[in-house]
Amino acid sequence: MKEEKERGPLLFEARREHSMLAGPSGREAIPSAVMKRAHGEKLQLCDALEKIADALPNVDRLKCLGIANAIVPLLRNIHQYEETIIFPAYEASTIAGNANLASTRRLRAEHVEDECFAGEVTETLLAIGHGETVENAEAVGFMLRGFFETMRRHIAFEREHVLPAIGIIDQDVSLGAGALLQPAQAVDRHMPVAKPS
């Protein structure tokens, strides 16, 4: 387990030889287990990116390369599963389908945005990993934080609204240290944030 943490968020990608829809036995995987693993790996990715952002400009270049190579395939695999299995189940789960359609349209749009943003983050991490000097550590840190905080909010929405509607409870906040941060904390962790009422 420690080795997986050191390698970064590659677990989902490493298991790609097994269908995301089928486990090693060939039987259909249970969506709750798939989503728990997917959220866990996305949160591991967020934690790894946060460590890089905190360490800028002095970062582990090999870690940057490893994460850069994992981001886009990880997100594409998870997004494909959500869009083909989870979202249709969510849309069918309630009578008020219009609200569900609006939510899943927004989530699908966020997937496209996340993958585009992931491409930019990948380019930046590859450049750093290949020895490019970090000219503006604050700007790179802001970029990384913008990416991983958006992913954390997306996961929180899925956990609070989408998954419970289809009978999946995934509230394991231990999977990511900052999984449920308030949006304002993404900008400055040292500013006090008003507690929601």
Side-chain angles (χ1 to χ4, degrees):
M1 185 66 136
K2 184 178 179 196
E3 182 182 315
E4 283 179 5
K5 293 255 187 213
E6 291 173 354
R7 283 185 312 183
L10 301 177
L11 182 60
F12 203 92
E13 181 65 18
R15 293 185 184 160
R16 192 167 53 159
E17 67 273 6
H18 302 298
S19 166
M20 291 177 61
L21 304 178
S25 66
R27 291 183 310 208
E28 188 172 309
I30 299 169
S32 60
V34 174
M35 289 307 296
K36 185 170 184 161
R37 186 176 79 218
H39 282 167
E41 291 180 20
K42 284 170 71 175
L43 291 170
Q44 283 179 345
L45 172 65
C46 291
D47 291 345
L49 291 170
E50 185 170 23
K51 287 178 184 171
I52 290 172
D54 290 344
L56 286 166
N58 305 311
V59 297
D60 180 338
R61 294 189 186 283
L62 288 176
K63 193 164 288 260
C64 288
L65 290 173
I67 292 169
N69 288 316
I71 293 174
V72 172
L74 175 74
L75 290 182
R76 281 190 184 144
N77 286 336
I78 293 171
H79 291 167
Q80 178 184 12
Y81 184 79
E82 289 177 350
E83 291 176 12
T84 58
I85 303 298
I86 300 301
F87 294 171
Y90 176 64
E91 290 169 347
S93 69
T94 65
I95 298 168
N98 290 340
N100 290 343
L101 291 175
S103 292
T104 54
R105 274 195 302 269
R106 183 178 55 79
L107 291 169
R108 283 184 174 97
E110 286 179 11
H111 285 174
V112 172
E113 293 169 2
D114 288 348
E115 289 179 27
C116 289
F117 201 172
E120 293 176 25
V121 169
T122 296
E123 287 178 25
T124 300
L125 291 176
L126 286 173
I128 294 169
H130 287 292
E132 189 173 303
T133 304
V134 179
E135 297 290 329
N136 189 340
E138 189 173 324
V140 172
F142 189 76
M143 171 196 250
L144 295 177
R145 290 182 199 290
F147 179 68
F148 68 72
E149 290 299 343
T150 298
M151 282 204 314
R152 286 176 175 163
R153 283 192 297 273
H154 185 94
I155 291 167
F157 181 82
E158 288 178 347
R159 284 180 167 174
E160 293 168 7
H161 300 284
V162 176
L163 298 182
I166 62 172
I168 298 174
I169 305 300
D170 181 10
Q171 300 298 323
D172 189 358
V173 293
S174 66
L175 292 173
L180 300 176
L181 291 176
Q182 296 295 320
Q185 288 173 300
V187 177
D188 188 349
R189 295 175 153 271
H190 305 291
M191 290 177 57
V193 175
K195 300 228 187 288
S197 16

